[in-house]
Amino acid sequence: MNETLPTATAPALRDILMPGMEECAQPLEGLLYLAEWSEDLVMLTNAQGDIIYTNDAVERVTGFSREEVLGSRARVWGYELDSAQQEAIWVRVTTERKQHQATVRNKHKDGRVYDAEVRVVPLVGANGSVKHCLVMERNVSDARQLERAKREFIALASHNLKTPLASMRWYAEMLLDGDAGSLKQDQREYIEEVLQGAKRMNDLIHTWLSITSIDLGTYTCEEKRVAVETVVERTVEELAARAQSMQVTVTHTPPVSPCVIIADEEVLHTIVHALLKNAVKYNRVGGSVSIELKQCAVGDECGGRVFTSEQVLLAVHDTGIGVPIDEQGMVFQQFFRGSNVEQQQSQGAGLGLFYARELARLCGGTMWFSSSEEGSDFYLALPTPNKKTRS
Amino acid sequence: MKLLNKFKKVLIVEDDPALLKALVRKVESKGFAVITESSGTPVPLTVVREKPAGILLDLMLPGQDGLKLLAQLRSTEIDYKKPVVILTNLHGRAGLRDEAERLQAVYLDKASTSIGAAVDALVKQL
């Protein structure tokens, strides 16, 4: 990268901090640029605390303009600490040359109080004295409020969508149980359809809520030791009817050694379900799906990859329609559906794999595949407990 | 067996009228007497006064968080020791299930559970 970064945007900071350094190294130029463009408030004071530089963010964060702030004392302006406390912090920073870091309540020019993360960093000169201090401030109130609003949205959406659904389901079930009298055959059939519709809707809502919380960044997992085999068995059972209707045989070899990971069981179930459902759905009539679960050690080659740490590997092989070669790079994208799928006329929003891989990533795992016209092999690798690192 | 059950009372706490009616019908069909509350505030007093044999408890109630309510019922103040089944429509809040289990309650998602299974989860413990 030999381009010269524009220097016109950060003259003040550069002139103050680096007089005579005409041959500024590129990284330093870049950092100065970064300070100027930061969304957080970045200020420079002299050793006494008078503000001699401030970036553009000052007005947005504090409400005060550059002109109002320049020349004033950093510690008097804004903080809700009394002047003695502020003086003490300043002394510690400049004489002991220690950084100060705190979350404080600060007052915006318009009067509203907000939470701010503040850092005061002494810039020590060559002779050991503190000539300048760097003051940085970030408004965290907005972020916290936004976080809270997102979580409340999910909770409310979930509750409001699922309550009428539960109602539909339960009343349909009570009719089928005969609680309101016995039913004729076609009455039974019609109500079964209502019930199936409600169940399908519930799955969709569950998927949508999970995706939304991933998108909003509020996704949380409840993690415990999970035997992957249990989840695989449960999912195979759930998809048995569907597989049967397509005459697809699903074979599953239980693992030789127990495959245990630390994860959220429901999340794992969602991932495995997405993989198996695809393997069945995009299969040929009379085709097959085989599922393999095993523990892979360092150095093992599985699914075309050599493992550099101990992982549990789930492999799902199908004899389906495969993914066209020129589309294979897009398989995990959010709304992708293969062009060869249109011919199969099956329903799908293309959310399954994107979502499954995102969830796998959130659990510290990885997902990949290989595919041809004869079928596809999808792989899910998850770290085993001792070796897990949060991504 | 059914005659004996009539002496056992089940408390159902649920704010949605349609869901409440369904639960009442189902629990009564199993031969139990039912008392109901549509909000959390009167519940502690109701539990002390009526001493229900078991409780079906909705989590999101007007006026009170269902888990806090359960914690209060399980605390030494009221010391309610009978079975409780929590029915909820809240999605993916980490720790809710664990918290419910810690308070000795079964935790079920309403829309994902049949009404028969939801009621049986309590009835089989009575």
Side-chain angles (χ1 to χ4, degrees):
Chain A
M1 266 249 308
N2 286 318
E3 298 164 35
T4 322
L5 289 162
T7 54
T9 44
L13 202 52
R14 197 160 156 273
D15 290 343
I16 298 169
L17 291 181
M18 293 171 184
M21 289 184 74
E22 271 77 33
E23 310 135 17
C24 242
Q26 288 289 348
L28 282 171
E29 287 284 355
L31 288 172
L32 295 172
Y33 193 76
L34 208 68
E36 178 60 39
W37 282 96
S38 170
E39 272 189 23
D40 297 333
L41 171 55
V42 177
M43 299 191 300
L44 203 67
T45 71
N46 60 18
Q48 288 71 48
D50 305 311
I51 299 169
I52 54 179
Y53 164 81
T54 170
N55 71 353
D56 256 344
V58 60
E59 190 148 1
R60 188 171 26 80
V61 176
T62 68
F64 295 98
S65 71
R66 249 179 169 137
E67 292 69 41
E68 286 172 297
V69 155
L70 281 172
S72 66
R73 282 265 149 125
R75 56 193 182 277
V76 170
W77 155 97
Y79 291 62
E80 284 197 352
L81 299 170
D82 67 42
S83 41
Q85 288 170 309
Q86 293 180 34
E87 197 65 43
I89 292 171
W90 204 260
V91 163
R92 192 162 65 242
V93 168
T94 50
T95 58
E96 294 175 37
R97 300 196 284 262
K98 284 204 165 84
Q99 257 190 52
H100 175 73
Q101 204 170 313
T103 306
V104 296
R105 311 228 72 200
N106 218 354
K107 212 174 203 171
H108 197 270
K109 184 179 179 184
D110 64 17
R112 96 186 116 89
V113 176
Y114 61 96
D115 292 320
E117 264 176 29
V118 173
R119 272 168 218 229
V120 183
V121 181
L123 299 181
V124 183
N127 59 359
S129 67
V130 176
K131 225 176 131 195
H132 301 110
C133 282
L134 199 57
V135 179
M136 290 163 285
E137 181 183 327
R138 172 180 297 171
N139 181 331
V140 291
S141 272
D142 289 349
R144 283 181 192 178
Q145 261 167 26
L146 186 60
E147 183 72 23
R148 198 165 45 235
K150 284 176 182 177
R151 288 188 196 278
E152 278 171 17
F153 168 72
I154 297 276
L156 207 60
S158 159
H159 185 264
N160 291 350
L161 288 170
K162 287 174 137 203
T163 299
L165 210 53
S167 193
M168 282 166 57
R169 179 184 181 148
W170 286 0
Y171 280 96
E173 284 168 347
M174 288 199 296
L175 282 170
L176 291 171
D177 286 347
D179 291 350
S182 57
L183 299 173
K184 295 201 293 229
Q185 185 53 32
D186 50 0
Q187 286 176 333
R188 175 164 293 276
E189 275 169 29
Y190 292 1
I191 296 166
E192 276 285 358
E193 290 296 340
V194 171
L195 182 60
Q196 286 318 307
K199 285 182 177 175
R200 227 174 25 240
M201 189 85 198
N202 188 42
D203 283 344
L204 284 171
I205 287 175
H206 179 83
T207 303
W208 180 79
L209 285 168
S210 297
I211 292 176
T212 304
S213 53
I214 286 178
D215 282 347
L216 292 179
T218 61
Y219 198 91
T220 44
C221 298
E222 296 178 49
E223 295 184 340
K224 293 190 189 114
R225 294 180 76 86
V226 177
V228 185
E229 175 61 14
T230 328
V231 176
V232 174
E233 277 174 4
R234 170 180 159 201
T235 317
V236 168
E237 208 179 284
E238 283 169 1
L239 289 165
R242 188 176 196 148
Q244 201 175 48
S245 71
M246 283 183 63
Q247 293 160 50
V248 166
T249 0
V250 179
T251 44
H252 164 51
T253 11
V256 166
S257 50
C259 295
V260 172
I261 57 172
I262 306 266
D264 183 308
E265 191 166 335
E266 277 319 302
V267 171
L268 182 64
H269 172 244
T270 307
I271 301 171
V272 174
H273 188 96
L275 287 176
L276 284 192
K277 189 163 130 183
N278 269 9
V280 170
K281 187 162 133 180
Y282 297 113
N283 218 319
R284 304 168 208 283
V285 173
S288 67
V289 174
S290 72
I291 305 163
E292 204 191 319
L293 180 62
K294 64 183 182 185
Q295 192 87 34
C296 291
V298 178
D300 281 357
E301 199 212 309
C302 302
R305 292 193 177 183
V306 177
F307 281 65
T308 54
S309 63
E310 209 178 283
Q311 313 238 347
V312 166
L313 179 75
L314 175 70
V316 179
H317 312 284
D318 68 64
T319 57
I321 59 182
V323 180
I325 295 202
D326 54 356
E327 293 172 17
Q328 288 188 5
M330 302 191 295
V331 156
F332 291 111
Q333 280 175 18
Q334 210 159 357
F335 298 106
F336 174 77
R337 294 193 77 215
S339 55
N340 56 347
V341 169
E342 308 311 318
Q343 300 148 26
Q344 294 247 315
Q345 289 175 359
S346 49
Q347 298 162 325
L351 286 169
L353 286 178
F354 163 78
Y355 176 47
R357 195 194 201 198
E358 238 345 78
L359 288 176
R361 192 186 61 78
L362 286 167
C363 292
T366 44
M367 191 181 281
W368 70 98
F369 80 107
S370 63
S371 182
S372 70
E373 273 166 17
E374 332 275 288
S376 308
D377 307 304
F378 275 83
Y379 301 97
L380 169 69
L382 294 155
T384 49
N386 296 329
K387 308 288 190 290
K388 172 156 185 170
T389 45
R390 283 300 275 148
S391 51
Chain B
M1 202 61 207
K2 263 201 168 183
L3 207 61
L4 267 171
N5 284 345
K6 269 276 187 235
F7 294 100
K8 286 194 176 172
K9 269 178 297 195
V10 169
L11 170 62
I12 305 180
V13 188
E14 167 61 63
D15 67 316
D16 183 88
L19 294 182
L20 179 60
K21 194 165 83 177
L23 287 171
V24 168
R25 280 208 152 123
K26 209 53 165 170
V27 172
E28 282 180 344
S29 77
K30 304 275 180 185
F32 293 87
V34 170
I35 27 172
T36 66
E37 291 291 351
S38 313
S39 74
T41 341
V43 171
L45 209 57
T46 310
V47 168
V48 167
R49 192 184 59 233
E50 302 281 350
K51 300 182 181 34
I55 307 178
L56 284 173
L57 178 63
D58 179 15
L59 258 202
M60 195 151 147
L61 296 163
Q64 200 164 11
D65 169 357
L67 273 180
K68 281 211 189 79
L69 178 56
L70 180 57
Q72 188 188 359
L73 295 178
R74 293 293 195 211
S75 74
T76 49
E77 180 195 333
I78 298 181
D79 207 23
Y80 184 76
K81 290 189 157 58
K82 304 276 171 55
V84 173
V85 169
I86 283 177
L87 298 171
T88 181
N89 272 332
L90 291 175
H91 176 85
R93 274 196 9 219
L96 280 186
R97 187 182 298 268
D98 286 343
E99 181 69 15
E101 280 168 14
R102 210 181 47 80
L103 293 167
Q104 288 108 48
V106 174
Y107 182 93
L108 295 173
D109 180 283
K110 281 186 251 194
S112 306
T113 315
S114 71
I115 187 172
V119 168
D120 278 343
L122 181 67
V123 159
K124 73 178 183 210
Q125 298 184 64
L126 300 181

